[in-house]
Amino acid sequence: MNRPRLAIVGHPNKGKSSFVATFAEDDAVAISPHPGTTTQARTYPMRLDGEVLYELIDTPGFQRAREVLAWLEAHDRGAGARGAVVAEFLTAHANDPRFHDECQLLTPIVEGAGILYIVDGSRPYGRQYEADMEILRWTGRPRMALINMISAGDHIDQWRSALGQYFSIVRVFDAVRADFGKRIELLRAFGAIDERWAVPLNRAADALVADRQRRAQRVAGEIADLLITALTTTVIVPLSGRSVDDEARAHAEGRAKLREEVRRREVLSRRTVHEIYHHTGLEARESAAAYLVEDVFSARSFSVFGMSQTQLALTGAASGAVVGSAVDVALGGASLLLGAGIGAALGAFGTLTGAQGLAKVRVLGLPLGGYELRVGPITDPNVPWVLLGRALLHAKLVAERNHSRREELIVDAQAGGHLADMIDAARRRRLDVTFRRLRGGRELVADEREALLAEIATLIDAR
Ligand SMILES: Nc1nc2c(ncn2[C@@H]2O[C@H](COP(=O)(O)OP(=O)(O)OP(=O)(O)O)[C@@H](O)[C@H]2O)c(=O)[nH]1
Ligand SMILES: [Mg+2]
């Protein structure tokens, strides 16, 4: 099997585990600002559709490189035997706690893994790294050096000259901030480490690019379903009597319940998006700081993600006009101007009055006596825009997020543009027609859902 297998090695705290998390898309890899976080070598496979594309081995950092090198030099039998001497070092020190970390990191290399040596290019080069690099040269395994940038300093040129003495390929790569394109580019570059890996790694890169597109499609489907359910949901609350107070109480309860349903659905939808992008640990961190995540129904959420009253009125007027024109067509064009005028007026009026209340409310009589209140579907014309804006931004943040990031995901509009600015008038009208249809209690046929999904997919690409 030519499955590419790379050991990620270096000094402690240089971003080895961060690199592994990003390239294996695994947010369970332990990462911390404290040196010595990784204590055991561990293999992380990058899986796609059940197939392992490549494997990365996270390892502890070098602790006693000079002593190891001194041992190797003392047992040197010439260049041809150096790989064997490294293997002998491992056998001789398998149970020696002083060399635990070196044994962990060298074992996968001796067993055939390629080497990725990581340094921090924001810190100056120092001679203490030479023992690491010399040991890696002794293994005789194919290798490449990566300059990671952990903080603000820039010592790249110095590092390049030093690393160039030991590695034929040296690349700069930010394990935490690199985008998907850079990741794919580097994956293809790994093909140069071992010629047997060029083909499988290029294939892996192609597969990941194709999968990225599929993920965006799945996200579009998820957002479409979120909108469809949110706009068609109704809730029932008991009505104890028919007094004004009874109704007001039930009304408030129903509205709260409806809001809760929509929130719950949004949380579910976000979870699905996390799963699509392999961010399985993200949810807990998000809900642990739920107060940081704006509520879908908060005033701020509406002002940030929703459409302005003018935009709503204009959209309402425009899609009303579409209805008006349809009437015109039915009437053979006889009332052309009149039809469009009435339609537009109704559309704008409907939008503005709709903005006054959240949802439709109906009192239902029960067969055995008594009443209940049905609240929903949501009539507020801004709710679908707010949901859509939030969902698009959330999806963008998740898609861009490397698996080495450990801070909270905060869905804040500061991180992306206003939805209204990226939707042109025609698209806004088409979406508005769909939203109205849903609000009106009409189910979407399969073609309409597909059309909604396609509109959302275009917006995801535009973000
Ligand atoms: N900004 C930034 N921070 C990084 C980058 N790579 C690593 N870090 C941070 O550096 C610290 C160490 O990262 P780890 O990935 O745990 O380093 P390690 O080499 O695995 O460390 P040990 O397991 O202790 O040897 C963490 O706080 C990371 O968040 C990077 O590319 N950019
Ligand atoms: Mg680590």
Side-chain angles (χ1 to χ4, degrees), residues 385-418:
W385 297 110
V386 173
L387 280 172
L388 178 59
R390 286 164 61 87
L392 287 173
L393 179 59
H394 168 262
K396 170 188 149 80
L397 294 176
V398 175
E400 283 174 352
R401 186 180 172 96
N402 280 329
H403 294 71
S404 52
R405 299 211 13 206
R406 290 294 181 268
E407 77 277 15
E408 238 80 38
L409 175 77
I410 301 169
V411 184
D412 190 311
Q414 306 306 323
H418 195 297

mmCIF file of all heavy atoms in Angstrom, residues 385-418:
data_model
loop_
_atom_site.group_PDB
_atom_site.id
_atom_site.type_symbol
_atom_site.label_atom_id
_atom_site.label_comp_id
_atom_site.label_asym_id
_atom_site.label_seq_id
_atom_site.Cartn_x
_atom_site.Cartn_y
_atom_site.Cartn_z
ATOM 1 N N TRP A 385 -35.377 36.331 6.350
ATOM 2 C CA TRP A 385 -34.115 37.008 5.983
ATOM 3 C C TRP A 385 -33.107 36.926 7.114
ATOM 4 O O TRP A 385 -31.917 36.739 6.894
ATOM 5 C CB TRP A 385 -34.382 38.481 5.627
ATOM 6 C CG TRP A 385 -35.257 38.622 4.422
ATOM 7 C CD1 TRP A 385 -36.542 39.057 4.366
ATOM 8 C CD2 TRP A 385 -34.906 38.275 3.069
ATOM 9 N NE1 TRP A 385 -37.021 39.010 3.092
ATOM 10 C CE2 TRP A 385 -36.036 38.534 2.268
ATOM 11 C CE3 TRP A 385 -33.762 37.761 2.464
ATOM 12 C CZ2 TRP A 385 -36.045 38.318 0.897
ATOM 13 C CZ3 TRP A 385 -33.770 37.543 1.095
ATOM 14 C CH2 TRP A 385 -34.903 37.818 0.332
ATOM 15 N N VAL A 386 -33.626 37.094 8.344
ATOM 16 C CA VAL A 386 -32.723 37.006 9.499
ATOM 17 C C VAL A 386 -32.146 35.588 9.581
ATOM 18 O O VAL A 386 -30.939 35.394 9.727
ATOM 19 C CB VAL A 386 -33.470 37.368 10.806
ATOM 20 C CG1 VAL A 386 -32.591 37.107 12.018
ATOM 21 C CG2 VAL A 386 -33.911 38.820 10.777
ATOM 22 N N LEU A 387 -33.013 34.594 9.426
ATOM 23 C CA LEU A 387 -32.545 33.202 9.494
ATOM 24 C C LEU A 387 -31.544 32.913 8.389
ATOM 25 O O LEU A 387 -30.510 32.282 8.613
ATOM 26 C CB LEU A 387 -33.735 32.246 9.363
ATOM 27 C CG LEU A 387 -34.564 32.022 10.617
ATOM 28 C CD1 LEU A 387 -35.811 31.220 10.257
ATOM 29 C CD2 LEU A 387 -33.754 31.288 11.689
ATOM 30 N N LEU A 388 -31.854 33.381 7.200
ATOM 31 C CA LEU A 388 -30.975 33.128 6.053
ATOM 32 C C LEU A 388 -29.625 33.816 6.256
ATOM 33 O O LEU A 388 -28.569 33.209 6.044
ATOM 34 C CB LEU A 388 -31.650 33.612 4.767
ATOM 35 C CG LEU A 388 -30.837 33.467 3.473
ATOM 36 C CD1 LEU A 388 -30.471 32.012 3.211
ATOM 37 C CD2 LEU A 388 -31.615 34.026 2.275
ATOM 38 N N GLY A 389 -29.666 35.083 6.688
ATOM 39 C CA GLY A 389 -28.418 35.825 6.902
ATOM 40 C C GLY A 389 -27.546 35.153 7.947
ATOM 41 O O GLY A 389 -26.345 34.980 7.767
ATOM 42 N N ARG A 390 -28.180 34.734 9.042
ATOM 43 C CA ARG A 390 -27.427 34.063 10.112
ATOM 44 C C ARG A 390 -26.867 32.732 9.637
ATOM 45 O O ARG A 390 -25.721 32.387 9.920
ATOM 46 C CB ARG A 390 -28.330 33.834 11.321
ATOM 47 C CG ARG A 390 -28.638 35.084 12.117
ATOM 48 C CD ARG A 390 -29.815 34.867 13.050
ATOM 49 N NE ARG A 390 -29.586 33.829 14.031
ATOM 50 C CZ ARG A 390 -28.999 34.029 15.222
ATOM 51 N NH1 ARG A 390 -28.613 35.231 15.554
ATOM 52 N NH2 ARG A 390 -28.824 33.044 16.070
ATOM 53 N N ALA A 391 -27.691 31.992 8.908
ATOM 54 C CA ALA A 391 -27.257 30.659 8.468
ATOM 55 C C ALA A 391 -26.102 30.763 7.469
ATOM 56 O O ALA A 391 -25.143 29.981 7.529
ATOM 57 C CB ALA A 391 -28.425 29.908 7.838
ATOM 58 N N LEU A 392 -26.174 31.733 6.570
ATOM 59 C CA LEU A 392 -25.090 31.883 5.584
ATOM 60 C C LEU A 392 -23.787 32.279 6.262
ATOM 61 O O LEU A 392 -22.721 31.760 5.943
ATOM 62 C CB LEU A 392 -25.463 32.949 4.538
ATOM 63 C CG LEU A 392 -26.533 32.542 3.525
ATOM 64 C CD1 LEU A 392 -26.922 33.742 2.675
ATOM 65 C CD2 LEU A 392 -26.016 31.417 2.624
ATOM 66 N N LEU A 393 -23.891 33.189 7.218
ATOM 67 C CA LEU A 393 -22.683 33.626 7.920
ATOM 68 C C LEU A 393 -22.098 32.483 8.751
ATOM 69 O O LEU A 393 -20.896 32.228 8.721
ATOM 70 C CB LEU A 393 -23.007 34.833 8.811
ATOM 71 C CG LEU A 393 -21.824 35.369 9.614
ATOM 72 C CD1 LEU A 393 -20.687 35.800 8.702
ATOM 73 C CD2 LEU A 393 -22.259 36.538 10.490
ATOM 74 N N HIS A 394 -22.979 31.788 9.451
ATOM 75 C CA HIS A 394 -22.517 30.661 10.263
ATOM 76 C C HIS A 394 -21.820 29.623 9.379
ATOM 77 O O HIS A 394 -20.727 29.151 9.691
ATOM 78 C CB HIS A 394 -23.711 30.043 10.998
ATOM 79 C CG HIS A 394 -23.411 28.728 11.637
ATOM 80 N ND1 HIS A 394 -23.720 27.528 11.044
ATOM 81 C CD2 HIS A 394 -22.780 28.414 12.793
ATOM 82 C CE1 HIS A 394 -23.311 26.539 11.818
ATOM 83 N NE2 HIS A 394 -22.744 27.051 12.890
ATOM 84 N N ALA A 395 -22.439 29.296 8.236
ATOM 85 C CA ALA A 395 -21.872 28.279 7.349
ATOM 86 C C ALA A 395 -20.508 28.728 6.824
ATOM 87 O O ALA A 395 -19.577 27.922 6.719
ATOM 88 C CB ALA A 395 -22.819 28.009 6.181
ATOM 89 N N LYS A 396 -20.397 30.004 6.528
ATOM 90 C CA LYS A 396 -19.125 30.524 6.018
ATOM 91 C C LYS A 396 -18.038 30.389 7.107
ATOM 92 O O LYS A 396 -16.927 29.939 6.837
ATOM 93 C CB LYS A 396 -19.303 31.990 5.626
ATOM 94 C CG LYS A 396 -18.037 32.744 5.306
ATOM 95 C CD LYS A 396 -18.381 34.237 5.129
ATOM 96 C CE LYS A 396 -17.257 35.161 5.550
ATOM 97 N NZ LYS A 396 -16.225 35.296 4.540
ATOM 98 N N LEU A 397 -18.389 30.758 8.333
ATOM 99 C CA LEU A 397 -17.400 30.694 9.421
ATOM 100 C C LEU A 397 -16.963 29.255 9.676
ATOM 101 O O LEU A 397 -15.791 28.981 9.914
ATOM 102 C CB LEU A 397 -17.973 31.315 10.702
ATOM 103 C CG LEU A 397 -18.246 32.823 10.629
ATOM 104 C CD1 LEU A 397 -18.899 33.302 11.924
ATOM 105 C CD2 LEU A 397 -16.973 33.601 10.354
ATOM 106 N N VAL A 398 -17.924 28.332 9.613
ATOM 107 C CA VAL A 398 -17.586 26.921 9.866
ATOM 108 C C VAL A 398 -16.726 26.378 8.723
ATOM 109 O O VAL A 398 -15.726 25.687 8.943
ATOM 110 C CB VAL A 398 -18.855 26.067 10.049
ATOM 111 C CG1 VAL A 398 -18.512 24.595 10.190
ATOM 112 C CG2 VAL A 398 -19.638 26.548 11.270
ATOM 113 N N ALA A 399 -17.098 26.728 7.477
ATOM 114 C CA ALA A 399 -16.357 26.206 6.323
ATOM 115 C C ALA A 399 -14.916 26.707 6.321
ATOM 116 O O ALA A 399 -13.999 26.001 5.920
ATOM 117 C CB ALA A 399 -17.056 26.622 5.027
ATOM 118 N N GLU A 400 -14.721 27.926 6.806
ATOM 119 C CA GLU A 400 -13.372 28.517 6.781
ATOM 120 C C GLU A 400 -12.538 28.094 7.982
ATOM 121 O O GLU A 400 -11.345 28.358 8.023
ATOM 122 C CB GLU A 400 -13.483 30.042 6.853
ATOM 123 C CG GLU A 400 -13.890 30.687 5.557
ATOM 124 C CD GLU A 400 -14.110 32.176 5.749
ATOM 125 O OE1 GLU A 400 -14.100 32.647 6.894
ATOM 126 O OE2 GLU A 400 -14.316 32.840 4.735
ATOM 127 N N ARG A 401 -13.200 27.512 8.945
ATOM 128 C CA ARG A 401 -12.520 27.284 10.215
ATOM 129 C C ARG A 401 -11.615 26.058 10.155
ATOM 130 O O ARG A 401 -12.066 24.952 9.887
ATOM 131 C CB ARG A 401 -13.588 27.098 11.290
ATOM 132 C CG ARG A 401 -13.056 26.989 12.685
ATOM 133 C CD ARG A 401 -14.235 26.817 13.605
ATOM 134 N NE ARG A 401 -13.819 26.510 14.934
ATOM 135 C CZ ARG A 401 -13.689 27.422 15.912
ATOM 136 N NH1 ARG A 401 -13.972 28.667 15.677
ATOM 137 N NH2 ARG A 401 -13.296 27.071 17.103
ATOM 138 N N ASN A 402 -10.337 26.252 10.453
ATOM 139 C CA ASN A 402 -9.438 25.104 10.526
ATOM 140 C C ASN A 402 -9.703 24.336 11.808
ATOM 141 O O ASN A 402 -10.120 24.915 12.804
ATOM 142 C CB ASN A 402 -7.984 25.571 10.496
ATOM 143 C CG ASN A 402 -7.538 25.881 9.085
ATOM 144 O OD1 ASN A 402 -8.009 25.264 8.132
ATOM 145 N ND2 ASN A 402 -6.658 26.842 8.941
ATOM 146 N N HIS A 403 -9.408 23.046 11.780
ATOM 147 C CA HIS A 403 -9.693 22.214 12.943
ATOM 148 C C HIS A 403 -8.687 22.407 14.064
ATOM 149 O O HIS A 403 -8.773 21.772 15.101
ATOM 150 C CB HIS A 403 -9.815 20.752 12.508
ATOM 151 C CG HIS A 403 -11.003 20.547 11.614
ATOM 152 N ND1 HIS A 403 -11.039 21.018 10.327
ATOM 153 C CD2 HIS A 403 -12.217 19.975 11.843
ATOM 154 C CE1 HIS A 403 -12.210 20.726 9.792
ATOM 155 N NE2 HIS A 403 -12.944 20.096 10.693
ATOM 156 N N SER A 404 -7.722 23.271 13.848
ATOM 157 C CA SER A 404 -6.760 23.579 14.913
ATOM 158 C C SER A 404 -7.237 24.751 15.759
ATOM 159 O O SER A 404 -6.617 25.074 16.755
ATOM 160 C CB SER A 404 -5.411 23.926 14.286
ATOM 161 O OG SER A 404 -5.571 24.926 13.305
ATOM 162 N N ARG A 405 -8.343 25.401 15.352
ATOM 163 C CA ARG A 405 -8.806 26.549 16.132
ATOM 164 C C ARG A 405 -9.551 26.074 17.349
ATOM 165 O O ARG A 405 -10.385 25.190 17.291
ATOM 166 C CB ARG A 405 -9.694 27.454 15.277
ATOM 167 C CG ARG A 405 -8.870 27.928 14.134
ATOM 168 C CD ARG A 405 -9.141 29.253 13.563
ATOM 169 N NE ARG A 405 -9.964 30.213 14.207
ATOM 170 C CZ ARG A 405 -10.607 31.146 13.503
ATOM 171 N NH1 ARG A 405 -10.550 31.133 12.198
ATOM 172 N NH2 ARG A 405 -11.298 32.062 14.117
ATOM 173 N N ARG A 406 -9.254 26.690 18.475
ATOM 174 C CA ARG A 406 -9.847 26.219 19.716
ATOM 175 C C ARG A 406 -10.731 27.275 20.360
ATOM 176 O O ARG A 406 -11.355 27.016 21.376
ATOM 177 C CB ARG A 406 -8.746 25.784 20.707
ATOM 178 C CG ARG A 406 -8.034 24.507 20.277
ATOM 179 C CD ARG A 406 -8.989 23.323 20.306
ATOM 180 N NE ARG A 406 -8.336 22.078 19.931
ATOM 181 C CZ ARG A 406 -8.295 21.616 18.694
ATOM 182 N NH1 ARG A 406 -8.825 22.303 17.709
ATOM 183 N NH2 ARG A 406 -7.701 20.468 18.426
ATOM 184 N N GLU A 407 -10.770 28.463 19.835
ATOM 185 C CA GLU A 407 -11.603 29.484 20.458
ATOM 186 C C GLU A 407 -13.051 29.304 20.017
ATOM 187 O O GLU A 407 -13.340 28.630 19.038
ATOM 188 C CB GLU A 407 -11.087 30.902 20.155
ATOM 189 C CG GLU A 407 -11.411 31.432 18.773
ATOM 190 C CD GLU A 407 -10.420 30.960 17.706
ATOM 191 O OE1 GLU A 407 -9.653 30.015 17.966
ATOM 192 O OE2 GLU A 407 -10.450 31.519 16.598
ATOM 193 N N GLU A 408 -13.954 29.934 20.768
ATOM 194 C CA GLU A 408 -15.384 29.842 20.500
ATOM 195 C C GLU A 408 -15.728 30.294 19.074
ATOM 196 O O GLU A 408 -15.071 31.183 18.548
ATOM 197 C CB GLU A 408 -16.111 30.780 21.452
ATOM 198 C CG GLU A 408 -17.128 30.104 22.319
ATOM 199 C CD GLU A 408 -16.470 29.431 23.492
ATOM 200 O OE1 GLU A 408 -15.516 29.980 24.042
ATOM 201 O OE2 GLU A 408 -16.939 28.347 23.853
ATOM 202 N N LEU A 409 -16.733 29.667 18.526
ATOM 203 C CA LEU A 409 -17.248 30.168 17.251
ATOM 204 C C LEU A 409 -18.311 31.211 17.577
ATOM 205 O O LEU A 409 -19.307 30.906 18.213
ATOM 206 C CB LEU A 409 -17.880 29.046 16.439
ATOM 207 C CG LEU A 409 -18.548 29.527 15.151
ATOM 208 C CD1 LEU A 409 -17.522 29.825 14.090
ATOM 209 C CD2 LEU A 409 -19.544 28.515 14.631
ATOM 210 N N ILE A 410 -18.088 32.422 17.169
ATOM 211 C CA ILE A 410 -19.055 33.471 17.452
ATOM 212 C C ILE A 410 -19.636 33.942 16.134
ATOM 213 O O ILE A 410 -18.920 34.447 15.273
ATOM 214 C CB ILE A 410 -18.383 34.643 18.210
ATOM 215 C CG1 ILE A 410 -17.784 34.109 19.508
ATOM 216 C CG2 ILE A 410 -19.402 35.745 18.489
ATOM 217 C CD1 ILE A 410 -16.884 35.079 20.201
ATOM 218 N N VAL A 411 -20.933 33.711 15.997
ATOM 219 C CA VAL A 411 -21.579 34.112 14.753
ATOM 220 C C VAL A 411 -21.946 35.583 14.882
ATOM 221 O O VAL A 411 -22.991 35.932 15.406
ATOM 222 C CB VAL A 411 -22.826 33.256 14.478
ATOM 223 C CG1 VAL A 411 -23.435 33.624 13.135
ATOM 224 C CG2 VAL A 411 -22.455 31.791 14.496
ATOM 225 N N ASP A 412 -21.041 36.421 14.471
ATOM 226 C CA ASP A 412 -21.254 37.853 14.610
ATOM 227 C C ASP A 412 -21.156 38.487 13.226
ATOM 228 O O ASP A 412 -20.263 38.153 12.455
ATOM 229 C CB ASP A 412 -20.164 38.439 15.521
ATOM 230 C CG ASP A 412 -20.476 39.874 15.897
ATOM 231 O OD1 ASP A 412 -20.784 40.656 14.987
ATOM 232 O OD2 ASP A 412 -20.405 40.200 17.092
ATOM 233 N N ALA A 413 -22.071 39.399 12.966
ATOM 234 C CA ALA A 413 -22.112 39.994 11.631
ATOM 235 C C ALA A 413 -20.851 40.787 11.321
ATOM 236 O O ALA A 413 -20.562 41.055 10.170
ATOM 237 C CB ALA A 413 -23.320 40.892 11.490
ATOM 238 N N GLN A 414 -20.070 41.141 12.345
ATOM 239 C CA GLN A 414 -18.810 41.850 12.061
ATOM 240 C C GLN A 414 -17.941 40.983 11.140
ATOM 241 O O GLN A 414 -17.115 41.484 10.407
ATOM 242 C CB GLN A 414 -18.027 42.108 13.358
ATOM 243 C CG GLN A 414 -18.799 42.820 14.436
ATOM 244 C CD GLN A 414 -19.411 44.119 13.940
ATOM 245 O OE1 GLN A 414 -18.803 44.821 13.151
ATOM 246 N NE2 GLN A 414 -20.624 44.399 14.361
ATOM 247 N N ALA A 415 -18.148 39.662 11.254
ATOM 248 C CA ALA A 415 -17.305 38.747 10.495
ATOM 249 C C ALA A 415 -17.711 38.642 9.026
ATOM 250 O O ALA A 415 -17.020 38.038 8.231
ATOM 251 C CB ALA A 415 -17.351 37.364 11.146
ATOM 252 N N GLY A 416 -18.810 39.217 8.636
ATOM 253 C CA GLY A 416 -19.221 39.101 7.241
ATOM 254 C C GLY A 416 -20.110 40.260 6.848
ATOM 255 O O GLY A 416 -20.600 40.998 7.695
ATOM 256 N N GLY A 417 -20.305 40.445 5.586
ATOM 257 C CA GLY A 417 -21.095 41.569 5.099
ATOM 258 C C GLY A 417 -22.584 41.393 5.374
ATOM 259 O O GLY A 417 -23.029 40.324 5.784
ATOM 260 N N HIS A 418 -23.335 42.438 5.190
ATOM 261 C CA HIS A 418 -24.784 42.389 5.360
ATOM 262 C C HIS A 418 -25.400 41.614 4.206
ATOM 263 O O HIS A 418 -25.050 41.831 3.056
ATOM 264 C CB HIS A 418 -25.316 43.820 5.385
ATOM 265 C CG HIS A 418 -26.710 43.905 5.906
ATOM 266 N ND1 HIS A 418 -27.753 43.308 5.267
ATOM 267 C CD2 HIS A 418 -27.216 44.492 7.014
ATOM 268 C CE1 HIS A 418 -28.861 43.530 5.949
ATOM 269 N NE2 HIS A 418 -28.556 44.246 7.020
#
